[in-house]
Amino acid sequence: MNISLNHSNDLEGRLSVVVSAADYQEKVETKLKDYRKKASIKGFRPGMVPMPLIKKLAGQSILVEEINHLLGHAVSDYIKENKLNLVGEPMPAVEEADAIDWEKDTEFTFHYDLGFHGEFSVDLDKIKSVNSYEIKADKKEIEETIENLKKQFGEQTHPESVEDRDLVFGTFTQGDWVEKSAIPLHSINDKSKKIFIGAKVGDTLKFAIDKVFNDAKSLALATGKKEEEVADLTGEVSYVVEDITRSVPASLDQAFFDKVLGAGKASDEASFREQLIEIVQDNYKREANYLLRIDAEKALLDQVKIDLPEAFLRNWLVRINEGKFTPEQIDQDFDNVKKDIRWNLIKNEIAEKFEVKVEYAEVVEKAKDMVRQQFGGYLSADQPGIEEMIEKIAMGYLSDKSKSDNFMNLYNQAFADKVSSVIVEKIPHKVSKIDVDKFKEIAAAL
């Protein structure tokens, strides 16, 4: 087998592979013999079908299969051995391949168009400094957090009459249409709230259904219909109040402290506030680190120049998408494609330089974290058997055969996180102390 590479320029080239009979003949003959042993053809005993007939029946398909197998390994090995800086994947020259005469030819030549990225290096120490932020939560922020937590962990009561912000359960009736419903009072416009406020269980309210809700979305949620369907809901309806639910904020007592922090973590309001401040600060620290990661990624993309084979990439994208996108559609998103390619090249360069590796146990831990986030506040670390349950769910997710990419998705997330950690640690950055409102303003501008 003869393989040669010809560069048309620094970023594009053509790989030519010449396959001769000596490369494939022996294996093809072996496969033909195996086929003959198993062939069941009327008029011939098993294993006694004449070889010329076997070649006529299966010779070409076996030849094509064997040569494709050889090509796959030969091209892959050549790329690895020569450490080619490929972008995208080798593109077979279709027209030349279609011109092959599989019945007559014994020597075959295949061509692959290749795209290369330009040489580059990543020196994190020399990247221009980026901003990082130290966010201090002020008293206002802590008080707002406490109020939100009091609502979150408050109790549900069932008062005698409706007040603003209550949730009203009842039944709509209009002609043949009857619909059970839950109406949050905040979804009712201010002008119409007087219809509901003061109502008691058993009362029948009458109103124009298309006039009382804030918007189509609120009406859809209250009636169980799709937003595009609610335009048909017009005119007066009857609404029988069947239950009233009101959220009463929790008190700053031991039960509340235990619900928020865990049993016994705080014994009084002072210690509760102290720990809550730490939690809020840690949350903002994570958000600041996330913003730093984004800024660092942008700085690297701006300052690390990598030439790409744009013409090759456009053709490659059209080919791999098999007609799903036109060249014009690909052009519309081409800048983002180039950005993603450059970022992956930069990440891989950093990973190799700093020997970033992801172990199996780290992927499992990533899956367990995902489970914890899905359950949110419903799981507590001190619940008996909770960790065993989390691990079981996580392992089930990773081993789900119907979604074989689950493992790789989490592996890639873990890999990206570890590379980002290296970047954040090594890249120069200057720290600015800001308040929460200023940080929110900066984050919203991204």
Side-chain angles (χ1 to χ4, degrees), residues 121-135:
S121 63
V122 181
D123 189 340
L124 295 176
D125 293 331
K126 293 183 180 179
I127 299 296
K128 291 180 183 177
S129 180
V130 298
N131 291 319
S132 66
Y133 302 100
E134 184 179 312
I135 309 159

Side-chain angles (χ1 to χ4, degrees), residues 250-267:
S251 301
L252 286 172
D253 54 21
Q254 190 63 50
F256 175 67
F257 304 151
D258 290 346
K259 287 178 182 177
V260 175
L261 300 176
K265 295 290 180 65
S267 57

Side-chain angles (χ1 to χ4, degrees), residues 153-388:
F153 292 98
E155 294 183 0
Q156 301 292 325
T157 63
H158 299 277
E160 289 186 1
S161 60
V162 177
E163 291 183 8
D164 199 3
R165 314 304 295 182
D166 286 350
L167 180 64
V168 183
F169 293 87
T171 302
F172 284 111
T173 303
Q174 186 188 60
D176 295 333
W177 177 57
V178 178
E179 185 72 39
K180 290 280 186 181
S181 172
I183 303 176
L185 257 288
H186 64 76
S187 71
I188 302 297
N189 60 55
D190 290 340
K191 183 179 178 181
S192 302
K193 282 183 180 178
K194 61 185 179 182
I195 298 170
F196 292 83
I197 292 175
K200 298 180 179 181
V201 172
D203 286 355
T204 298
L205 311 179
K206 294 184 180 294
F207 50 85
I209 193 169
D210 54 326
K211 304 294 185 183
V212 302
F213 288 91
N214 287 323
D215 48 40
K217 183 178 180 180
S218 298
L219 177 54
L221 289 172
T223 57
K225 293 185 178 292
K226 296 178 181 178
E227 281 190 54
E228 57 268 26
E229 297 174 341
V230 297
D232 296 331
L233 293 175
T234 59
E236 186 177 82
V237 296
S238 294
Y239 186 80
V240 178
V241 178
E242 296 169 356
D243 190 21
I244 305 164
T245 299
R246 181 177 302 160
S247 293
V248 178
S251 301
L252 286 172
D253 54 21
Q254 190 63 50
F256 175 67
F257 304 151
D258 290 346
K259 287 178 182 177
V260 175
L261 300 176
K265 295 290 180 65
S267 57
D268 53 30
E269 184 177 340
S271 61
F272 170 76
R273 286 179 175 273
E274 184 178 330
Q275 293 179 63
L276 186 63
I277 290 170
E278 289 182 13
I279 292 171
V280 172
Q281 290 290 159
D282 285 343
N283 288 339
Y284 280 119
K285 185 176 181 180
R286 281 193 293 273
E287 291 190 33
N289 283 338
Y290 176 70
L291 188 58
L292 176 57
R293 284 174 58 170
I294 293 175
D295 285 344
E297 176 181 336
K298 186 176 183 300
L300 285 164
L301 285 168
D302 288 343
Q303 297 173 52
V304 177
K305 303 303 179 185
I306 307 175
D307 292 328
L308 297 176
E310 297 195 7
F312 169 85
L313 283 173
R314 284 187 169 90
N315 291 332
W316 175 68
L317 289 167
V318 170
R319 178 87 66 87
I320 63 171
N321 283 291
E322 299 177 337
K324 294 177 183 176
F325 301 101
T326 65
E328 291 74 22
Q329 289 173 318
I330 285 172
D331 276 344
Q332 290 175 4
D333 199 43
F334 193 59
D335 285 342
N336 288 329
V337 171
K338 290 191 295 181
K339 179 181 173 182
D340 289 343
I341 290 172
R342 290 175 56 237
W343 179 238
N344 281 323
L345 290 170
I346 291 169
K347 279 196 305 184
N348 291 337
E349 175 75 9
I350 293 170
E352 183 176 352
K353 185 174 183 178
F354 293 95
E355 299 182 344
V356 174
K357 295 178 181 177
V358 176
E359 304 295 339
Y360 177 77
E362 293 175 293
V363 181
V364 172
E365 194 56 39
K366 194 82 175 172
K368 290 164 70 173
D369 285 343
M370 180 191 70
V371 174
R372 293 186 186 100
Q373 290 171 12
Q374 287 176 341
F375 279 97
Y378 293 100
L379 297 181
S380 175
D382 55 5
Q383 289 177 258
I386 196 65
E387 284 302 315
E388 291 82 354

